[in-house]
Amino acid sequence: MKKQLIKYVLPFGMGLSLIIITVFGLLSVSLTSCSENCPDKDFPLYCSSAKKCCPGDKPYTDGHGSCYGTLEGCRASGYACEHCWEE
């Protein structure tokens, strides 16, 4: 009887632990990814390296406060450019 109980308790405990860890991981990822960095609808694109929001028609930044409509225009500033993404 004791061997049969151990035979079922160990896999059940391992499975329950795995489910708890998975749920905790999914909740922590979903809660941290919901941060609103760009609440203004006119500036929906977030540029992580510059920590700046850019308008929808200017998806590139040089990391120094300027937003550009094209990658070529951004490169002309002489700085490294980043593509900004909508959250």
Side-chain angles (χ1 to χ4, degrees):
M1 177 73 175
K2 190 175 182 180
K3 282 188 175 188
Q4 284 183 335
L5 187 62
I6 291 174
K7 181 177 158 183
Y8 293 111
V9 169
L10 185 61
F12 179 76
M14 297 278 286
L16 186 61
S17 298
L18 185 61
I19 289 171
I20 290 171
I21 291 170
T22 303
V23 168
F24 178 74
L26 290 174
L27 282 176
S28 65
V29 167
S30 67
L31 290 177
T32 57
S33 65
C34 290
S35 64
E36 287 288 329
N37 291 317
C38 299
D40 188 356
K41 295 197 184 279
D42 293 332
F43 295 86
L45 304 176
Y46 182 68
C47 311
S48 59
S49 67
K51 294 184 176 66
K52 175 180 175 53
C53 297
C54 286
D57 61 340
K58 296 183 178 181
Y60 299 98
T61 184
D62 59 5
H64 291 85
S66 298
C67 298
Y68 299 92
T70 63
L71 184 58
E72 292 78 24
C74 182
R75 286 183 179 161
S77 70
Y79 296 110
C81 295
E82 173 193 9
H83 191 272
C84 308
W85 301 97
E86 189 167 344
E87 292 189 319

